[in-house]
Amino acid sequence: THTHTHTHRKQTCRPMYGRGQYDIINEHSYLICSRGVRPEQLFTGVGSDEAIDMTIRVFCAPTKEAIIVTPPTFGIYKTRADVNQAEVISVPLTPDYQLNMDELKKAIKPEVKIILLCSPGNPTAVRIRREDIIQLLESDYKGIVVLDEAYVDFSVSPSDCDLVEKYPNLIVFQTVSKSFGLAAIRSGLL
């Protein structure tokens, strides 16, 4: 049992597994303790594919609005946008797999409702610089910024999900299926 103290609460973490069975409550406890998010900030879905699909469905009107992706990146973003009839605007990462901030700002237009960022990248394994994420969140762009952290538990850098407290237009995706070897349970989190 680990105890983590945050300014808004004190929480005791329980082990993730109880009696050999997966426990979704413990998943939430783990995320609350290890990431510093509040219970009301969590959503549990059937894998991150569902979370990606739901986010596009909620924020993009079919055939009228768009998302921005930063290739090379997770292919499901384009697939889900196509299914939901959202335009896909591609702004490739730099040669060192970071955001091309100048090109990203040029690509933002009123129809862009979501910018999808993958950090650590899939397939690049490179973390997007936190200062670039903050710069984007503090820019004139008023749409949703999604930070997909499916592989964050394999990174030496901590999650950037603490930014949700300051930036209400930020959604962070995470999963326990990768780092905990639980792919069969299909659990995605926002």
Side-chain angles (χ1 to χ4, degrees):
T1 301
H2 303 286
T3 301
H4 298 272
T5 304
H6 301 280
T7 56
H8 57 279
R9 72 178 183 298
K10 184 176 180 180
Q11 178 85 32
T12 301
C13 291
R14 301 183 321 247
M16 288 272 309
Y17 306 97
R19 298 186 191 140
Q21 295 181 342
Y22 181 73
D23 182 346
I24 198 74
I25 301 304
N26 283 338
E27 175 183 305
H28 283 172
S29 295
Y30 167 76
L31 287 168
I32 291 166
C33 292
S34 68
R35 307 293 199 247
V37 297
R38 291 179 276 120
E40 64 268 26
Q41 293 173 312
L42 291 176
F43 166 83
T44 304
V46 184
S48 58
D49 290 5
E50 180 189 44
I52 293 162
D53 183 76
M54 182 187 64
T55 302
I56 295 170
R57 283 178 194 255
V58 168
F59 293 105
C60 290
T63 71
K64 294 182 175 121
E65 294 174 332
I67 68 168
I68 290 178
V69 297
T70 56
T73 195
F74 189 32
I76 199 73
Y77 303 148
K78 182 181 180 332
T79 303
R80 294 287 98 199
D82 290 346
V83 166
N84 290 293
Q85 298 177 311
E87 179 187 355
V88 179
I89 299 168
S90 293
V91 179
L93 296 171
T94 63
D96 62 342
Y97 302 119
Q98 291 299 319
L99 296 179
N100 185 330
M101 296 302 289
D102 292 334
E103 292 301 314
L104 191 57
K105 287 176 185 174
K106 286 180 196 173
I108 295 172
K109 53 188 180 180
E111 301 82 43
V112 173
K113 301 302 175 188
I114 303 170
I115 298 174
L116 283 152
L117 307 175
C118 193
S119 181
N122 173 3
T124 67
V126 175
R127 291 293 302 268
I128 294 173
R129 287 187 290 265
R130 182 179 173 96
E131 58 268 20
D132 289 346
I133 297 166
I134 291 171
Q135 182 182 349
L136 180 59
L137 290 165
E138 292 181 349
S139 72
D140 292 334
Y141 175 66
K142 300 301 177 212
I144 300 298
V145 175
V146 171
L147 184 60
D148 186 344
E149 292 189 332
Y151 293 94
V152 73
D153 291 318
F154 297 104
S155 175
V156 296
S157 302
S159 168
D160 289 312
C161 71
D162 63 300
L163 296 174
V164 299
E165 283 296 325
K166 185 173 180 184
Y167 302 101
N169 63 326
L170 176 64
I171 297 173
V172 178
F173 294 157
Q174 292 190 0
T175 179
V176 295
S177 67
K178 308 293 189 271
S179 59
F180 290 97
L182 300 171
I185 66 162
R186 300 292 304 143
S187 179
L189 307 150
L190 333 164

